[in-house]
Each structure stands twice: as C-alpha cells, then as structure tokens.
Amino acid sequence: MIKAVMMMNTQGKPRLAKFYDFLPVEKQQELIRGVFSVLSSRPENVSNFLEIDSLFGPDSRLVYKHYATLYFVLVFDGSENELAMLDLIQVLVETLDKCFSNVCELDIVFNYSKMHTVLDEIVFGGQVLETRSDEIMKAVEEISKLEAASNSISLVPKSVSGWRGGR
Amino acid sequence: MEQLKTIGRELAMGSQGGFGQSKEFLDLVKSIGEARSKAEEDRIVLSEIDILKRKLLEPDIPKRKMKEYIIRLVYIEMLGHDASFGYIHAVKMTHDDNLLLKRTGYLAVTLFLNEDHDLIILIVNTIQKDLRSDNYLVVCAALNAICRLINEETIPAVLPQVVDLLNHQKEAVRKKAIMALHRFHRKSPSSVSHLISNFRKRLCDNDPGVMGATLCPLFDLITEDVSSYKDLVSSFVSILKQVTERRLPKSYDYHQMPAPFIQIKLLKILALLGCGDKSASEIMSMVLGDLFRKCDSSTNIGNAILYECIRCISCIIPSPKLLEAAADAISKFLKSDSHNLKYMGIDGLGRLIKISPDIAEQHQLAVIDCLEDPDDTLKRKTFELLYKMTKSSNVEVIVDRMTDYMISINDNHYKTEIASRCVELAEQFAPSNQWFIQVIMNKVFEHAGDLVNIKVAHNLMRLIAEGFGEDDDDADSKLRLSAVESHLQIMSEPKLPSLFLQVISWVLGEYGTADGKYSASYISGKLCDVADAYSSDETVKGYAVSALMKIYAFEIASGRKVDVLPECQSLIEELLASHSTDLQQRAYELQALLALDARAVESILPLDASCEDIEVDKDLSFLNGYIQQAIESGAQPYISERERSCMLETTDYHSQDHHEVPSHALRFEAYERPKPSSLPTQASTELVPVPEPSYYSEAHQPISTSSVSERESSEIKLRLDGVKQKWGRPSYQSSTSASSTPPQAANGTSSHPDVGVGSSSLKPRSSYESKKPEIDPEKQRLAASLFGGSSTSRSDRKSSSGGHKPAKGTASKPPKENPIPVQPPPDLLDFGEPTATSVTATDPFKELEGLMDSSSQDGGSTDVMGVLYSDAAPVTTTTSVDSLLSELSDSSKGNPGTYQSQTSKGPNSKEALEKDALVRQMGVNPTSQNPTLFKDLLG
C-alpha cells in the first residue's frame, strides 16, 4: 500500500503532500522535513530507493525522483514493487506533462487543486488505481470542463446544463 | 527572469480561468515561494490566516469566493499551520449541489479530517446521497471521500450503496467501488466479511482495469488466508498468460509492456499461492518461464516485472530451470550500471540464497562492489545480504565490515539495528572468545553502547567470567587479562557509554588484580576516576563502588594490608551522604567490610566466585523454631501464597508500606492488619513495628545489609527444574542437562556432576580461501573471506550449514519460548557476610563442558559458541552471592511490614529491574530448599 505521496522542491518546500492514512498536521510536517533532509543528503547518480523505517515505521520504503527543481516522493510498504513505484512517478509526471504541457514547478504550485485531482485518479486510497495517462487525462479533463463551465455560471446563467456535461 | 516567468504564467492562468484560482491565492503562493526564510514564510502564512479568519466570518460569502478560501486553507495546512477554524466551511461545502464546489469540499475534508473527527457525522448523510447520484463524477467524488472519512462505525451506513456500485455501468465507478470495499476491509475486516465473494466475482469483470483493481483486495485476502484461494491459481495463471500474450487492448500498454502493473500484482499473488505448494508451483512455472523470456530488460518496468518473477520464484518451489533463469536475471541486475538494478539484484540474491546457497558465489565481486559503493541504500541492502549469509567461516570479515560501517554513520536508528545484528552474529558464530570480546567490547560498546540491549553487556561479563568453558584455566586467565588490559586502555577515553563503563567496572573489580600485574591501588585509583568522571551516572558509580569493594576484599583475604587511597576515601565519604540510597548502602557496606578480618571477608567475597552457584534455602526452615514461638504467643499463621497472589501482582515494591488491598471507595471499617506476603514461614504480625526488635535485627543482620536491590533477578538461574533448558536441544535434552546442573548442596559438599567431560573443540575457524588469480587482490581476498567457506567444497559447506542451522534454532528459539525474561545479571557482589559458606566448590567450567559436549555432538563446534553465547543460559549465575541475597531480598519484599525499615533505607535499585524480578517470580515457583544453609551461615 502506498502511504504517502509528496512533492517538494529542492529547498524543501512542500508543494503537495498527501498521506493515505490520517496523520496530524505536525506529524506530516515532521515527516516532510525528515524526508527532505534524507533526500538532500543523497549524492547524484545513486539509487532512487531508500529504506526509511526510522520515519515511517517498519517495512517502509521510499522511492524518489528528482526532476529539475522538484522531488517526487512515494512512500509505501513491502507489498509494492520498488521499480514499479518508480514508474508510477513516471506516470504521474507524464500525466502532469500532458496536463500542463511541459510541466514545471510553477504549474504545480499554481494548480494545487488540479494536482490533487490528477493524483486521485492515479492513486486511490493507497492503491494504484490507474496507470494509463490517457485515461487519467480523460477523467481530469471531464472535471476541467465542469470547472470552465461553472466558472461562467456566475457570468452567464445559461450554462446551467454545464455541470451535467460530464456525463 | 523567474519573476517574469511567474507573471507570464499568472497572466496565462488568469485568461484561461485555469482551475479557478484568484489573484489573492496566486499572490499568496508566490510570496511564500519567494520567502527567504522559514520565519518569513511563517509570517506570511500567519497574516493569511488572519485574513481568512476575518473573511470567513463575513456574511453571504459568494460560493466561488468560499471555494477559493477553502483551497487557501488546504494550502496553509500543507505548510504546517493549523486551519481548523475553517473545517466547518469545508464540511458545508460538501453539501453543495454544484459538483465543482462539492469536489472542493470533499478534497478539503479528506485532507483536514481524520475518520474519527466529530464533523464526519455531518458528512455521512451527504455521502450517502452522493453515492446514489446519477452523475458518475459525483459518485466518484463520494467514493474518494469515503476512503478517508469512513470509520468502522460508519461503514454500515454506506456499505449497501457501495455494494450496489460494484455493478455500475461505468468501469471507473466499479473500480473505485472495489477499492473502497478494499479500504473497508483493511479498516474493519469483519464489517465486509460477507462481501468477499464480490471480489472473486469482479475478477471476471470484462473491463481489465476493474479486474486489475480487484487484484489489490485479493492480494490482501490471500495474504491472510492462502488455503481458501488455492482454487484461483489456474485463473490467475491464465490471466497472467493472457496479459503477457498481449490479449489486452493496446491502451493498457505502458512503455511497450502489456499492463505491467497488473502483471506485477499477479506475480505477487502467485508467489503467495505457490509458497510451499508443489502442484501450484508447477502450474505457474510455465508462465514464469515465458515471462523471463519475454521481459524487456531495457526498460525500467520490464525489470520491475523480472524482479517480481525472481521474488515469486524465491517463494514457490521452483524447477531447476526457473532457478537458473532467476539466477541469470540477478546476474544481469548486478552487472548493470544502474544503482536501482544493483539494489534489486542484491535484494533478489538475498531471497534466492535461501533456496540455492551456491548462487552467491558467482557474484562475490559484484557484491563487494556494492558494499563499497557510495550509495548508502545499496550498502545497507548489501549488509542485509551479508547478514543472511554469515557463517562461522566468514563471520569475522562480515562483522568487521559491519562495525566499521556502524562507526561511520550517524543515523541512530540504523546504528542500533546494525549494532544488534553485529552482536547477534558474534554471539552465534564467534570463532574465539578473544575475538568476541574485542569486537563486542571495543567496537560495538564503545561506539553504540547506549544503543545496544543491556543483556549484551551481561553476556559479555558472563563470557569473561566463564572463559572458554574448557578445562583450561590458563586460557581463561589470559582472556581476562586481555580484557582488563584493553579496558584499562579504553577507560581513559572521554565520554564512554554508561553500559560500557558498567562492564569495565565489573571486570576491573572482578579480575583487575587477579594475576598480580596491576596493584590494587592502581586499579582502585582507576575506579575512583570513573566514579568521579561520571558522577551524574548513579549506575556506573554503583558498579564502581562494588568493584572497589571486591578489590579490597581480595586484598584483605590474601592477607595484604589495605591502604585506601585518599581519593577512594573521599569518594566513600561522599557516597555515605549520597541521596541515592543504593549508593549510600554500597558505601556503608564497603566501609563495614574494610573493618572485618580476613576470614570473614574471604567468605563474603571469595575470589573469582562469580560463576559459582548458590543453593538457597527458600523455606527459611531455620526460622521454624522462631515461628513456633511466635504462633504460640498468639501470632497469626502463614497465609498461603495463592491467597495473596492477587495482592502480590499489584504490589509495588517501593510502596510496600502504603500498600493495601486496593480499594476505590471510602472505607469505614478499621483497616486490617498488614498481611504477610512471601516469607512463607513467618508470622508477620509480630514483626510489623518499624523500629526493629533487637532480636530480629540481630538475627537478620546479613539480610538487612544484603541489598534488596537488583539482585532478586538471579534467583531464576538456580531453578532449572521446570525451566526450559536453553542449552543444547530444547526438548529432550533439557531434562538431562537440567538434572545434571542444578546447584549443589549448599553446605559445601558439592555433588558435582561429572558428565561426559570431553573437551569440545572450539578452534577458531579462519579457513580463509587461498587467493584466486585475476582482479584486484584486495577485493579477491575480501571475496574469499566472505564466500570462501562455501567455495571450497560442496560437501563441506553442506555439513557446516547443516551444522549451524540447528544451532541457530536452539540458540535463538528458547528465549522466545521461555516466558521468563532474561534478567540482567545482578549488580555485582555487594555483600552479605554469610553467603560464602554456601558457595559450592563446583568448577563451573566442568559443568559447561558437560553441556557443551552434548550440544556439540550434533551441531559441530559452531553451535557451541552459539549456544554458549545465547543469552540467558540459566545454568550459570554470574555472581553467586547475589543469587542468595536476591532470594532473601525477594522474600523480604513480599513482606510489607517486616522489612520495611531495611527496604526504605537500603536498596533501592531501579523499577525496571524489580518489575523484571516480579515477572520472574511469577514465572518460576520456588520449590527446593536447603534447611541447613542458614544454620551454617548464622551459626
């Protein structure tokens, strides 16, 4: 099971953090900081895996990938395959790339709720739900359409039907 | 530049409407992004919180604005600030009809609330409604929310709807409904136990995505109960086959691999189902073979599948062909340049050597490369592999490497782990005692002393005390001398761990002057230095004082004149007034001892008696006359143990005097008289008064001086009958060895069991391989020493591995099976004059030999070490005197009134130890006794 998904920049600022079991805010912060301090001390060109029992309890592994200014981090337990998780990060990034065409840190910062939407389509309750980025895109776009439609609700009342447009 | 880019993005976002963020939010994000310090960021967030608090109070907030505020709340909470003031608004938003707002509401509550939060109750109704919605996006949003928000109590409220959704026309909904059910199952298996068949049904869903999703719950279910899913083996195999044959729609391909995530999940399930099942393994071997052939090892995901195949093969009963394929895949991983693949290779190797131990040999150089790799993760994984393949032939090299690494890292968590692994390996495979002491003492203790378990220290002391266990006193004294020497050397280093200092003090006290190389004043000076340098550590001080006492006792006993160094004198004086009753008592005892004559001292603290056994008179039958007298004069008779047991259980030793049968209500009747506790034959009433009656204190002087401290612990050691043997084979041998080892009669006439004294061979095994040509000789050597034992000859290895496996079992299992905790050997040798006579003349090593002989017959010499070092060998007491005293103090503790005066002023000791002792007391029932003991002692 996937325990957490995190994105943080190379200065350690969290850009997105989702924990699949509830944790109090302070604990979340502690973990984010802990993960960052481990990641930032890793040299280049080493493996993308870490065993971090000390932070997340026994049998916890972490896979991370470093893209430009961002760390993508997945924390999971022994029932997942490390290499596959690495590819899940790849899926996430590919999808984001399609969403934002050439994704960069700013896109993630400024599209906070959309990020969550994308992530929810990929990982659901700690399990991998979907890995086909086309499918993910489809789902996200349907919601985006609604966004656009409902944004205009306040301006143009006629698009009431818009929120049913997703069907 | 960055700035410009930001503005550009912002404009673009503003024009496209994006995901509907307002200018304020973007400003917030931007200013936080540009914050130079954490303090600045905090300031920005705090002012943002102020703004939001104010704005949320405004009446009639437009909904779009509200959504915006909520996103801002989520954001500031992600940055680690409390946004609870806005939770209720997020909850309200979930009630909205507009899907967009609803989704935002759900997103916020799933991030804000835990499943037991009070506000959840306000959401459940909405979720129920949404699950029935016509709009599948609404349904998806609700399903998403229930994964996080529903707890055991609320599951029934949504369960029917979720089950209905399993047949929803949209596959996305079916998928999520399955996942939600899976989540329920994780949270509360009982609530969905009747629905498990649904998972099986969904496995046949015509949408591969839904089928793939079903594998997640099935994996969990099969992990819990393999046997009831055996019938699915062929279905899983055929699904996997279809997937690998690309029968799925093209859209499921990922990097040219057909549905890799589904394949991986299937392989995980097959590994579970094939574990130890020959027929199931055969069914799947075909498809596994295909996978090895088809997998594209040039992509990451292809390697992920390959690794999963290796893992699967290491679980099932594989055919030789499959094993070969797995070994090939592993060697490809290890040869790769990618650290990730090397990591997987090492991991796979660690799994595969369990079934085919030879495989490690081919990769020795690759393994050594990984060990020297700068990548910490890889290094640790390699250490894990080495740990798994340690045997007596390579233990020195491996433990050496491990300790070096342990010293080099700062991560306390991992340091502890690797230290305990070192100790475990050293205990199991140590080739010689000298080596064991050097490694454990000098390296592990010095660098991770505060991290290792206390019993390691006690094992070390016992080892030094017992020596080789052979009939070789020479070697023993050499060993001790080397321990003393290296300790004296290390002592001068600053800031040693407390545990290590305790060991040092004990060793110096026990053997510091033993062979005359060091003078008593030299050693005692050193001990005073320790007590001075670590004056805040009472345990160390206690050990140091006890060690001093032993030094002086040995001096007096050998007829030399003792001159107490001025610094010792001042130390004693300081401790006489110590706040710690333990230290105070030790100091008083030391002082008293200095005044005694040689004969008395010799019987109190005999030389090198730490391994002797002591027979304890449990019944205190010498008191019978006294009791008779007491009963005649009207005292109450003894109350049996059972009657007191409930009281005993809750007894806190320290608060004996306050302790009554716990009562929660006011009591109006008079308090009953204090009940006698565990001194079996004593009537307590007479003894209650706190100022001791003179006759009593006279008679029991030894008892009162004997500290009730940490000593009660050793009691168990004497009690071999009924206790599971830890030496040799646990089951059938236990009776024989138990009967051969019980302590001898206390009056000195030892009936020493001379069972099978055959010197078991404990030769150091450093069967290093001769070098092989080619490649870096340094590495070669390392490889040879790591893998050497195995490459020499197959039969050799087999016999050796066959040899120490049972040893492992016997050495490590018994402690688990045995409920009695391993007690810390008591704090050593305080006093109690009378005990000396009780010390048996048994040679402990002889006894050991008997034991070792039996255990070495089956295990080969390796086992002996393993067994020897396995903690808690109950046969040997570390200090004989203690055991007796502890016995006494034990009983005195049980008796609230009687010994109160002593308990309060004397011994003290730590709570933990007492609890420990209590547990032990529960576990072992005193049975045997020797009535003559105390007559001897007390005259």
Side-chain angles (χ1 to χ4, degrees):
Chain A
M1 173 182 163
I2 296 172
K3 295 183 181 176
V5 178
M6 294 178 215
M7 293 177 204
M8 58 184 86
N9 72 2
T10 37
Q11 273 105 54
K13 286 204 174 89
R15 290 313 190 190
L16 182 125
K18 188 152 186 148
F19 294 84
Y20 288 94
D21 284 312
F22 181 83
L23 291 170
V25 180
E26 304 78 45
K27 182 76 184 158
Q28 292 185 10
Q29 288 302 305
E30 190 191 317
L31 291 176
I32 291 173
R33 271 198 301 274
V35 166
F36 176 71
S37 74
V38 182
L39 290 189
S40 56
S41 66
R42 303 264 303 162
E44 291 282 321
N45 301 324
V46 292
S47 62
N48 300 80
F49 312 137
L50 275 171
E51 278 165 37
I52 44 163
D53 304 7
S54 50
L55 286 174
F56 287 86
D59 199 26
S60 318
R61 295 110 191 262
L62 176 152
V63 163
Y64 71 98
K65 213 158 181 183
H66 188 169
Y67 287 97
T69 56
L70 277 180
Y71 285 116
F72 286 73
V73 179
L74 281 182
V75 182
F76 52 92
D77 63 16
S79 67
E80 306 285 346
N81 177 317
E82 281 100 334
L83 286 171
M85 287 296 115
L86 198 57
D87 263 297
L88 195 65
I89 296 183
Q90 184 67 32
V91 169
L92 177 61
V93 175
E94 273 175 26
T95 314
L96 291 179
D97 217 35
K98 282 180 189 158
C99 271
F100 301 112
S101 57
N102 239 333
V103 64
C104 72
E105 185 179 348
L106 284 168
D107 294 312
I108 291 166
V109 175
F110 289 125
N111 293 284
Y112 189 65
S113 57
K114 188 165 185 175
M115 289 298 302
H116 275 286
T117 311
V118 172
L119 190 57
D120 284 346
E121 290 300 321
I122 299 176
V123 182
F124 186 93
Q127 301 290 339
V128 181
L129 179 75
E130 181 58 74
T131 53
R132 293 172 292 165
S133 56
D134 291 337
E135 286 296 312
I136 302 163
M137 281 302 293
K138 241 188 263 167
V140 174
E141 265 160 22
E142 273 187 79
I143 297 160
S144 298
K145 258 185 247 158
L146 279 176
E147 298 272 344
S150 66
N151 265 348
S152 49
I153 288 178
S154 50
L155 310 170
V156 196
K158 68 164 187 189
S159 56
V160 174
S161 62
W163 71 269
R164 287 204 155 240
R167 299 199 64 197
Chain B
M1 186 59 215
E2 190 70 5
Q3 205 99 9
L4 273 178
K5 213 172 156 194
T6 314
I7 295 166
R9 289 265 168 189
E10 221 175 286
L11 285 175
M13 225 94 71
S15 61
Q16 86 192 140
F19 246 50
Q21 274 93 352
S22 74
K23 180 89 173 58
E24 286 106 314
F25 179 63
L26 298 182
D27 281 347
L28 167 70
V29 171
K30 204 169 77 181
S31 57
I32 287 173
E34 286 161 2
R36 291 273 164 265
S37 65
K38 181 80 182 134
E40 192 182 340
E41 182 188 309
D42 284 348
R43 221 171 23 249
I44 296 167
V45 175
L46 287 177
S47 75
E48 173 71 11
I49 289 176
D50 275 348
I51 296 171
L52 284 174
K53 272 186 183 159
R54 221 168 336 109
K55 294 219 168 169
L56 285 171
L57 287 177
E58 284 171 13
D60 300 329
I61 307 170
K63 282 181 177 168
R64 276 188 60 210
K65 261 271 171 300
M66 185 55 112
K67 168 172 165 274
E68 156 85 26
Y69 294 152
I70 284 171
I71 294 288
R72 279 152 80 174
L73 284 174
V74 173
Y75 196 76
I76 57 176
E77 196 158 285
M78 184 187 74
L79 295 173
H81 297 263
D82 179 45
S84 55
F85 61 91
Y87 288 178
I88 186 68
H89 297 282
V91 171
K92 272 193 218 151
M93 187 153 277
T94 61
H95 304 335
D96 203 285
D97 282 336
N98 181 325
L99 171 64
L100 184 59
L101 298 180
K102 189 185 275 299
R103 281 184 56 91
T104 308
Y106 276 138
L107 170 65
V109 289
T110 50
L111 292 171
F112 286 153
L113 305 182
N114 71 350
E115 56 195 32
D116 301 319
H117 199 282
D118 294 339
L119 290 174
I120 298 289
I121 205 82
L122 299 175
I123 305 174
V124 172
N125 197 22
T126 318
I127 290 179
Q128 281 179 321
K129 208 177 76 207
D130 289 344
L131 287 174
R132 274 185 243 114
S133 165
D134 294 335
N135 185 339
Y136 88 97
L137 288 173
V138 174
V139 177
C140 284
L143 281 171
N144 214 345
I146 56 179
C147 284
R148 259 301 277 281
L149 301 178
I150 296 296
N151 65 12
E152 203 170 342
E153 287 160 39
T154 37
I155 284 175
V158 294
L159 196 55
Q161 284 98 316
V162 175
V163 174
D164 287 347
L165 290 176
L166 288 175
N167 297 312
H168 197 275
Q169 55 183 6
K170 277 268 185 192
E171 68 276 353
V173 175
R174 293 203 297 273
K175 239 176 359 184
K176 288 183 178 169
I178 286 167
M179 296 292 206
L181 267 188
H182 179 203
R183 190 80 177 168
F184 292 166
H185 177 260
R186 276 185 166 239
K187 277 187 183 156
S188 150
S190 58
S191 65
V192 291
S193 52
H194 57 291
L195 295 169
I196 282 172
S197 60
N198 280 298
F199 292 133
R200 279 170 177 261
K201 231 183 280 164
R202 282 297 129 210
L203 198 57
C204 314
D205 198 286
N206 25 12
D207 183 77
V210 180
M211 183 275 297
T214 319
L215 297 175
C216 299
L218 281 173
F219 175 74
D220 274 10
L221 288 168
I222 294 172
T223 312
E224 285 157 24
D225 173 23
V226 182
S227 54
S228 39
Y229 292 89
K230 290 278 186 195
D231 58 314
L232 287 179
V233 174
S234 51
S235 325
F236 286 129
V237 168
S238 83
I239 295 172
L240 184 56
K241 206 159 178 230
Q242 288 174 41
V243 175
T244 54
E245 286 167 359
R246 298 182 181 271
R247 304 265 192 83
L248 294 188
K250 201 84 179 126
S251 68
Y252 284 90
D253 284 9
Y254 173 84
H255 292 194
Q256 281 88 50
M257 288 298 291
F261 285 84
I262 291 177
Q263 289 192 44
I264 288 169
K265 230 20 275 174
L266 280 167
L267 284 167
K268 280 191 182 293
I269 290 174
L270 289 180
L272 291 175
L273 288 170
C275 183
D277 184 335
K278 186 98 185 144
S279 63
S281 303
E282 273 162 16
I283 301 176
M284 55 187 82
S285 66
M286 173 84 166
V287 70
L288 286 171
D290 282 353
L291 272 172
F292 274 116
R293 247 172 290 122
K294 279 184 189 160
C295 261
D296 170 16
S297 59
S298 65
T299 60
N300 187 50
I301 197 72
N303 286 319
I305 296 173
L306 274 180
Y307 165 76
E308 211 52 61
C309 289
I310 296 171
R311 223 175 127 158
C312 181
I313 285 169
S314 73
C315 292
I316 66 173
I317 302 173
S319 66
K321 223 171 158 190
L322 277 182
L323 262 182
E324 207 176 292
D328 282 352
I330 285 177
S331 65
K332 257 186 227 155
F333 282 170
L334 287 172
K335 279 178 198 142
S336 143
D337 287 333
S338 151
H339 280 88
N340 289 346
L341 293 184
K342 280 187 189 166
Y343 175 92
M344 297 321 255
I346 293 281
D347 185 272
L349 200 54
R351 290 173 193 280
L352 224 54
I353 49 168
K354 270 181 250 158
I355 34 177
S356 108
D358 350 328
I359 185 175
E361 270 168 57
Q362 322 159 10
H363 304 300
Q364 26 186 294
L365 290 174
V367 171
I368 286 157
D369 277 340
C370 292
L371 202 58
E372 276 154 12
D373 201 277
D375 184 353
D376 238 23
T377 314
L378 191 54
K379 224 180 222 171
R380 290 182 189 187
K381 198 80 198 170
T382 314
F383 276 119
E384 210 178 298
L385 171 70
L386 291 185
Y387 169 74
K388 280 182 199 156
M389 49 182 255
T390 306
K391 47 192 166 231
S392 48
S393 59
N394 57 15
V395 63
E396 285 170 273
V397 193
I398 289 177
V399 173
D400 213 44
R401 288 257 155 182
M402 281 168 112
T403 44
D404 284 349
Y405 181 63
M406 180 194 79
I407 292 165
S408 73
I409 57 173
N410 297 320
D411 172 357
N412 264 357
H413 180 84
Y414 194 65
K415 217 173 183 158
T416 313
E417 191 180 310
I418 204 159
S420 57
R421 278 186 173 177
C422 282
V423 171
E424 190 187 321
L425 291 178
E427 286 183 350
Q428 244 173 52
F429 300 112
S432 74
N433 287 4
Q434 258 103 349
W435 178 85
F436 181 84
I437 289 175
Q438 288 303 321
V439 166
I440 299 306
M441 185 174 73
N442 294 359
K443 291 229 180 120
V444 178
F445 268 80
E446 195 179 340
H447 297 280
D450 290 328
L451 302 172
V452 297
N453 194 313
I454 191 163
K455 72 183 180 203
V456 176
H458 298 140
N459 279 348
L460 181 60
M461 291 188 219
R462 183 183 306 149
L463 175 75
I464 295 173
E466 286 167 1
F468 283 91
E470 278 169 51
D471 220 358
D472 189 357
D473 284 343
D474 226 29
D476 288 353
S477 55
K478 240 185 245 159
L479 173 78
R480 288 167 191 164
L481 183 63
S482 81
V484 170
E485 272 172 351
S486 56
H487 276 156
L488 283 172
Q489 214 175 1
I490 290 171
M491 255 172 111
S492 48
E493 287 183 25
K495 289 218 175 120
L496 293 173
S498 166
L499 200 57
F500 190 30
L501 286 164
Q502 293 167 28
V503 177
I504 292 180
S505 303
W506 184 86
V507 169
L508 290 186
E510 202 64 44
Y511 304 111
T513 57
D515 67 346
K517 186 170 173 190
Y518 299 101
S519 73
S521 62
Y522 176 71
I523 300 284
S524 55
K526 284 281 184 189
L527 287 166
C528 284
D529 290 347
V530 168
D532 271 349
Y534 300 88
S535 55
S536 56
D537 189 334
E538 286 188 1
T539 323
V540 170
K541 264 164 123 179
Y543 268 84
V545 174
S546 292
L548 276 178
M549 190 157 38
K550 279 182 262 183
I551 299 279
Y552 290 138
F554 299 154
E555 286 297 292
I556 294 172
S558 61
R560 279 185 288 262
K561 174 141 174 23
V562 174
D563 32 19
V564 180
L565 293 178
E567 62 251 48
C568 294
Q569 197 57 53
S570 64
L571 176 71
I572 295 169
E573 268 154 30
E574 179 205 321
L575 295 183
L576 285 175
S578 168
H579 288 297
S580 156
T581 44
D582 176 55
L583 290 179
Q584 206 179 28
Q585 171 156 3
R586 282 169 205 264
Y588 271 108
E589 286 170 352
L590 174 52
Q591 211 178 32
L593 181 123
L594 287 173
L596 293 170
D597 66 61
R599 247 197 84 245
V601 171
E602 196 179 0
S603 34
I604 298 168
L605 288 170
L607 195 60
D608 191 15
S610 59
C611 299
E612 322 281 288
D613 294 321
I614 293 182
E615 181 67 16
V616 174
D617 178 6
K618 282 270 168 44
D619 271 2
L620 305 179
S621 43
F622 58 91
L623 290 169
N624 282 347
Y626 171 75
I627 289 156
Q628 203 52 46
Q629 210 182 331
I631 290 177
E632 268 161 26
S633 57
Q636 276 186 353
Y638 171 66
I639 298 167
S640 84
E641 194 179 354
R642 188 167 299 169
E643 287 167 60
R644 298 185 322 259
S645 62
C646 60
M647 182 176 140
L648 248 184
E649 260 164 43
T650 52
T651 296
D652 173 23
Y653 287 147
H654 276 301
S655 55
Q656 284 291 329
D657 34 340
H658 310 298
H659 189 82
E660 279 295 342
V661 179
S663 60
H664 301 293
L666 277 179
R667 299 177 54 176
F668 296 101
E669 70 276 33
Y671 286 99
E672 65 256 289
R673 326 191 85 171
K675 283 186 183 152
S677 283
S678 74
L679 255 197
T681 47
Q682 229 162 353
S684 67
T685 35
E686 290 266 291
L687 302 171
V688 164
V690 174
E692 281 178 66
S694 59
Y695 61 86
Y696 177 78
S697 65
E698 203 178 315
H700 289 265
Q701 198 51 53
I703 299 173
S704 68
T705 45
S706 72
S707 67
V708 190
S709 61
E710 297 105 305
R711 244 83 70 12
E712 53 271 3
S713 37
S714 41
E715 157 210 15
I716 155 203
K717 293 188 168 168
L718 302 176
R719 210 134 294 295
L720 292 172
D721 34 342
V723 178
K724 195 145 202 185
Q725 254 315 316
K726 293 185 176 159
W727 293 63
R729 304 243 153 163
S731 52
Y732 56 89
Q733 262 180 9
S734 65
S735 61
T736 58
S737 57
S739 65
S740 70
T741 46
Q744 283 65 50
N747 47 20
T749 63
S750 70
S751 61
H752 164 252
D754 249 330
V755 255
V757 183
S759 62
S760 59
S761 57
L762 273 176
K763 296 161 214 145
R765 277 156 291 277
S766 46
S767 63
Y768 281 51
E769 265 294 286
S770 53
K771 286 185 198 173
K772 291 171 193 167
E774 74 184 296
I775 326 189
D776 183 2
E778 178 72 11
K779 259 182 207 168
Q780 284 284 262
R781 211 169 38 245
L782 181 58
S785 45
L786 282 176
F787 300 86
S790 55
S791 56
T792 38
S793 82
R794 186 122 332 162
S795 63
D796 183 30
R797 196 227 347 269
K798 247 177 203 157
S799 71
S800 81
S801 71
H804 46 70
K805 257 189 192 141
K808 243 180 178 172
T810 47
S812 57
K813 256 189 191 157
K816 267 187 212 152
E817 294 167 347
N818 201 327
I820 301 158
V822 177
Q823 83 288 19
D827 177 357
L828 312 152
L829 290 187
D830 289 27
F831 24 158
E833 290 114 279
T835 50
T837 37
S838 73
V839 173
T840 58
T842 327
D843 177 1
F845 301 122
K846 290 234 168 106
E847 288 189 7
L848 275 178
E849 267 162 42
L851 288 165
M852 288 182 33
D853 201 40
S854 54
S855 60
S856 61
Q857 272 160 5
D858 47 66
S861 39
T862 336
D863 320 16
V864 181
M865 300 312 292
V867 174
L868 238 189
Y869 298 144
S870 79
D871 36 17
V875 194
T876 46
T877 37
T878 322
T879 44
S880 51
V881 184
D882 298 337
S883 7
L884 168 64
L885 296 180
S886 67
E887 197 45 53
L888 287 172
S889 44
D890 233 353
S891 27
S892 72
K893 282 191 176 160
N895 198 342
T898 318
Y899 290 95
Q900 190 190 326
S901 57
Q902 292 108 3
T903 12
S904 58
K905 90 167 183 231
N908 38 72
S909 83
K910 281 167 239 108
E911 295 254 297
L913 282 168
E914 301 198 328
K915 263 185 206 144
D916 197 34
L918 179 61
V919 175
R920 214 166 303 112
Q921 198 181 24
M922 305 301 198
V924 191
N925 284 326
T927 44
S928 74
Q929 56 272 148
N930 184 343
T932 58
L933 173 65
F934 274 76
K935 272 190 193 131
D936 280 345
L937 292 181
L938 306 173

